[in-house]
Amino acid sequence: MAIGIKDVAMAAGVSIATVSHVLNSTRYVSDETRRKVEKAMKDLSYSPNYLAKSLKENKSNVIGLVVPDISNFFFTEIAGAIETRLREQGYNLILCNTDENLELEKQHIAHLQSYMVSGIIIAPTTREYNYRSLFKTYDYPAVFIDRRLNTPQGDSVYVDTKSVSKKAVEHLISKGHRNIAFIGALKSLSTTEDRYAGYAEALYEHGIAVRPELTGFGGAKDDSGFEICRNILENNPDVTAIFVSTSMMSIGAMRYLVDNRIAVPDKMAIIGFDDYMWTGITNPPLSTIKQPTVELGVKSADLLLKRIEDRSSDIVNEVLQAELIIRESC
Amino acid sequence: MAIGIKDVAMAAGVSIATVSHVLNSTRYVSDETRRKVEKAMKDLSYSPNYLAKSLKENKSNVIGLVVPDISNFFFTEIAGAIETRLREQGYNLILCNTDENLELEKQHIAHLQSYMVSGIIIAPTTREYNYRSLFKTYDYPAVFIDRRLNTPQGDSVYVDTKSVSKKAVEHLISKGHRNIAFIGALKSLSTTEDRYAGYAEALYEHGIAVRPELTGFGGAKDDSGFEICRNILENNPDVTAIFVSTSMMSIGAMRYLVDNRIAVPDKMAIIGFDDYMWTGITNPPLSTIKQPTVELGVKSADLLLKRIEDRSSDIVNEVLQAELIIRESC
DNA sequence: CTGTTAGCGCCTTCAG
DNA sequence: CTGAAGGCGCTAACAG
């Protein structure tokens, strides 16, 4: 069927060993035989079977990426950056979506290993789980991104969103706001926790009490952001500013304000999360916190590749900085 | 190292053939032996090596997706839909980005086949190339999406964007606009061609001449949309409406209008392409054409899966309909 | 009802 | 400088 190394060997009149060696330049081959082999490869338009190679070598040139929500721009940007970086290094990317579902996540991780992927990058759905226990070997290459785990389980790349969230809320306070709402994703996520902590700390340091009724948590979707925003604003007419700690929820909250003709920033100030192309053309242009998604992707890919090379080096934990971008919504 | 089928066989005191057969329920095994085998698998926490299986069976449970620009929301939505659909069917997805580069695309297609992916879904960078010539076998499962080829090369799923573009322009005309600009991606793409054809046809049928100076083409990025918009508007003060035939270019064009405080829709009407969460919160809410991305993804996955099952059935060509969504920008 | 065995395509040690 | 041969983990005849 498919033409393989042995067809090439036959056509070139050499052994398969020789063909293998010219293929990988793994031992000296005389110029003449090399040429013969190369000609044969060309003539037969041979291309190696990576599966067989991987099986033999017990590792593939593929890595797995496991994310909780592929429809979230934050993760797609990261995925794009990782894909690009890996391609440069001759690797491919298998993309897995978990829908924030631990069972699915476990399945994917097992599955990926069955394909002998060389390593896995995970944005974990939960902070409690012992992901290491899912790995075939104790030193399986894996890097964790975006969400912290209760106990570190390997290399990781996170973004410091606490301090920047604090800065955002301080900005609102400096504009005279005192009744500031907080909208966030599931409370169990480290990311939500951090951003909320930044919010609370800013309030605390300015002598403002945190009012639980001004805070709302839920799924990180736009509809959820819309609902939470509605709920808070309808019940608390004194709110004059909102801090939303998730990109899609920011859109939902904004939509609530637009739909209800609540003037921004005059009646309501808002700072959202994650910065994209369209944040400049919203009504009004939205102030946001910009996370370094590309850098996060590239760093995590590099870390994983390094870990694949050397499983015994010290674990590294990168923390990237985010940036507050002030536009006209606050 | 890794525990395999033979370790299980040994532990269960049966042959590897039996283990393989309980694994795949591919022949009858007595309840008792089955139980022994299953126990052994559990005890050893065995999990099969898909690579070996794929090598043997000459096909994997992985499919490849090749897209020209993974940072384009249009393609990420499609990718998400495909991933979800494939997972339901027990397949995984390898994601490849070509950056609109034919050489890279060829490389990816070759590479994917080296990994014995069961099939490939491609949004091709060019309409001229004979992609079939890159396939190992003449009947290799592949489905083409989004962009048409000069000559059909397999199953395909496209969106009819011509008629909806015409409708969009007719809408602008019905509002009294006569000097309508067209902003599109590279002219060589079938998608650009179709949308431009819809634009031209609408003008023609209303006795309006196409003025080349009101049309602009370029890379499908936001900056490119911005520049083309600027160029057209600066040189043609009589333009009162714009039709943008690409999502990111729509954002760029909008940003030009916002930056230059050109009142929409009073001074300038605009209809953009592709509908996302944020199109409802722009200033003003943007009228757009919504392509059925999820349906496109699901359909293409289904088609490919069907093609993998049966390579000889008739080629199918799906054409999906898009929808014009009128908001306040026109 | 179960076991033996020959590969899938490739790499790599061991001999020339 | 080059070949022969074993085996990676699994499937599927073929043979009981």
Side-chain angles (χ1 to χ4, degrees):
Chain A
M1 252 300 133
I3 71 127
I5 205 175
K6 102 171 61 159
D7 304 284
V8 176
M10 176 148 295
V14 300
S15 77
I16 58 171
T18 303
V19 176
S20 173
H21 284 120
V22 335
L23 213 47
N24 307 299
S25 29
T26 171
R27 88 177 174 194
Y28 191 89
V29 177
S30 74
D31 275 5
E32 189 178 338
T33 24
R34 146 166 290 114
R35 258 195 302 279
K36 278 193 302 190
V37 171
E38 279 165 349
K39 177 168 185 318
M41 298 202 299
K42 208 131 251 159
D43 289 350
L44 301 175
S45 67
Y46 164 79
S47 80
N49 182 325
Y50 283 113
L51 234 50
K53 182 182 170 119
S54 300
L55 178 60
K56 181 74 192 166
E57 297 185 333
N58 199 38
K59 66 162 251 213
S60 68
N61 273 263
V62 176
I63 81 111
L65 173 63
V66 181
V67 295
D69 181 8
I70 193 59
S71 71
N72 187 325
F73 318 111
F74 176 68
F75 291 117
T76 53
E77 285 197 343
I78 291 174
I82 292 177
E83 199 275 345
T84 302
R85 187 54 157 198
L86 288 179
R87 181 185 58 213
E88 294 168 4
Q89 312 290 327
Y91 279 76
N92 274 112
L93 213 219
I94 292 191
L95 181 62
C96 300
N97 190 27
T98 65
D99 272 333
E100 301 282 8
N101 176 336
L102 179 59
E103 284 314 309
L104 239 182
E105 192 173 32
K106 290 192 213 171
Q107 233 174 274
H108 272 137
I109 292 173
H111 209 204
L112 285 170
Q113 289 178 89
S114 290
Y115 279 113
M116 291 183 153
V117 299
S118 302
I120 303 183
I121 296 176
I122 311 174
T125 60
T126 163
R127 56 199 304 174
E128 280 111 26
Y129 197 75
N130 180 4
Y131 290 96
R132 274 275 157 224
S133 71
L134 298 175
F135 298 151
K136 292 273 175 289
T137 65
Y138 76 97
D139 60 354
Y140 188 79
V143 358
F144 297 85
I145 61 173
D146 186 42
R147 301 164 172 187
R148 269 178 293 108
L149 298 165
N150 281 348
T151 54
Q153 298 180 34
D155 299 320
S156 60
V157 188
Y158 302 123
V159 179
D160 170 20
T161 53
K162 180 183 168 190
S163 63
V164 76
S165 294
K166 183 176 171 187
K167 215 159 118 187
V169 176
E170 280 172 339
H171 180 84
L172 293 171
I173 295 173
S174 78
K175 293 286 185 180
H177 298 284
R178 308 238 106 204
N179 302 316
I180 304 171
F182 176 92
I183 297 177
L186 262 21
K187 230 170 171 166
S188 55
L189 300 173
S190 74
T191 44
T192 306
E193 179 183 279
D194 289 352
R195 295 161 200 187
Y196 176 77
Y199 162 82
E201 213 170 286
L203 293 188
Y204 177 76
E205 290 184 3
H206 287 79
I208 305 172
V210 170
R211 292 163 53 194
E213 72 272 22
L214 300 193
T215 67
F217 303 87
K221 303 278 187 178
D222 55 333
D223 290 344
S224 157
F226 183 98
E227 279 311 316
I228 293 172
C229 185
R230 186 175 61 71
N231 189 41
I232 293 177
L233 295 193
E234 283 183 2
N235 295 310
N236 303 277
D238 58 340
V239 169
T240 61
I242 310 174
F243 172 53
V244 192
S245 74
T246 263
S247 57
M248 296 202 283
M249 295 178 99
S250 302
I251 294 175
M254 262 306 254
R255 200 172 56 229
Y256 176 79
L257 301 179
V258 169
D259 285 4
N260 291 274
R261 315 212 170 273
I262 298 175
V264 178
D266 299 339
K267 288 284 170 211
M268 189 67 61
I270 179 169
I271 297 182
F273 223 91
D274 291 330
D275 199 63
Y276 299 101
M277 277 180 231
W278 70 87
T279 45
I281 59 169
T282 57
N283 181 22
L286 186 61
S287 296
T288 61
I289 285 170
K290 181 183 178 67
Q291 295 195 75
T293 48
V294 171
E295 197 184 346
L296 199 162
V298 170
K299 275 263 163 60
S300 58
D302 285 347
L303 238 52
L304 184 60
L305 262 20
K306 202 165 294 174
R307 177 60 60 199
I308 289 169
E309 292 300 308
D310 175 9
R311 297 191 176 203
S312 61
S313 62
D314 289 348
I315 281 178
V316 355
N317 190 318
E318 296 256 15
V319 178
L320 308 178
Q321 292 307 310
E323 182 189 355
L324 175 62
I325 298 180
I326 296 301
R327 293 201 182 82
E328 297 158 37
S329 68
C330 62
Chain B
M1 253 304 138
I3 71 126
I5 207 175
K6 101 169 63 157
D7 303 284
V8 176
M10 176 149 293
V14 301
S15 78
I16 60 170
T18 304
V19 176
S20 173
H21 284 120
V22 337
L23 212 48
N24 307 300
S25 28
T26 171
R27 86 176 177 196
Y28 192 89
V29 177
S30 74
D31 275 4
E32 190 177 339
T33 25
R34 148 167 286 116
R35 259 196 299 278
K36 279 194 301 189
V37 170
E38 278 165 350
K39 177 167 185 318
M41 298 202 299
K42 205 133 247 169
D43 290 350
L44 301 176
S45 69
Y46 164 80
S47 81
N49 182 326
Y50 284 111
L51 235 49
K53 183 182 169 115
S54 300
L55 177 59
K56 179 73 190 164
E57 296 186 331
N58 198 36
K59 66 163 253 214
S60 68
N61 274 262
V62 176
I63 80 111
L65 173 64
V66 181
V67 295
D69 181 7
I70 193 58
S71 71
N72 188 326
F73 318 111
F74 175 69
F75 291 117
T76 54
E77 285 197 344
I78 291 174
I82 292 177
E83 199 277 343
T84 302
R85 187 54 156 200
L86 289 179
R87 181 186 59 214
E88 293 168 5
Q89 313 289 329
Y91 280 76
N92 275 112
L93 212 221
I94 292 190
L95 182 62
C96 300
N97 190 27
T98 65
D99 272 333
E100 302 282 9
N101 176 337
L102 178 60
E103 284 314 309
L104 239 182
E105 192 173 32
K106 290 193 213 169
Q107 235 174 273
H108 272 138
I109 292 173
H111 210 204
L112 285 170
Q113 290 178 88
S114 290
Y115 280 114
M116 289 181 153
V117 299
S118 302
I120 303 183
I121 297 177
I122 311 175
T125 60
T126 165
R127 57 197 305 173
E128 279 111 26
Y129 197 74
N130 180 4
Y131 290 97
R132 274 276 157 224
S133 71
L134 298 175
F135 299 152
K136 292 275 175 287
T137 64
Y138 77 96
D139 59 355
Y140 189 78
V143 359
F144 297 85
I145 61 173
D146 186 43
R147 301 165 172 185
R148 270 179 293 109
L149 298 165
N150 281 348
T151 55
Q153 299 181 33
D155 300 319
S156 61
V157 189
Y158 302 123
V159 179
D160 170 20
T161 53
K162 179 184 169 189
S163 63
V164 75
S165 293
K166 182 176 172 187
K167 215 160 119 188
V169 175
E170 280 172 340
H171 180 84
L172 292 171
I173 294 172
S174 77
K175 293 286 184 181
H177 297 286
R178 308 238 107 202
N179 303 315
I180 304 172
F182 176 92
I183 297 177
L186 263 20
K187 231 171 170 166
S188 56
L189 300 172
S190 74
T191 44
T192 305
E193 179 182 280
D194 290 351
R195 295 162 201 187
Y196 176 77
Y199 162 82
E201 213 170 287
L203 293 188
Y204 177 76
E205 291 184 4
H206 287 79
I208 305 172
V210 170
R211 291 163 54 196
E213 70 273 22
L214 300 193
T215 67
F217 304 86
K221 303 279 187 177
D222 56 332
D223 290 344
S224 158
F226 183 97
E227 279 311 316
I228 293 173
C229 185
R230 183 175 63 71
N231 189 42
I232 294 177
L233 295 193
E234 282 184 1
N235 295 311
N236 302 279
D238 58 340
V239 169
T240 63
I242 310 174
F243 172 53
V244 192
S245 73
T246 263
S247 57
M248 296 203 283
M249 294 178 100
S250 302
I251 294 175
M254 263 305 254
R255 200 172 58 230
Y256 176 79
L257 300 179
V258 169
D259 285 4
N260 291 276
R261 314 213 170 275
I262 298 174
V264 178
D266 299 337
K267 288 283 170 211
M268 189 67 61
I270 178 169
I271 296 182
F273 223 91
D274 290 331
D275 199 64
Y276 298 102
M277 277 179 230
W278 70 86
T279 45
I281 59 169
T282 56
N283 181 24
L286 185 62
S287 297
T288 60
I289 285 171
K290 181 184 178 66
Q291 294 195 76
T293 49
V294 170
E295 197 184 346
L296 199 162
V298 170
K299 275 262 162 60
S300 59
D302 285 348
L303 237 53
L304 184 60
L305 262 21
K306 202 164 294 171
R307 178 60 58 199
I308 289 169
E309 292 301 307
D310 175 9
R311 297 192 175 203
S312 61
S313 62
D314 288 348
I315 281 178
V316 355
N317 190 317
E318 297 257 14
V319 178
L320 309 178
Q321 292 306 312
E323 181 189 356
L324 175 62
I325 299 180
I326 297 301
R327 294 202 183 82
E328 297 157 37
S329 68
C330 61

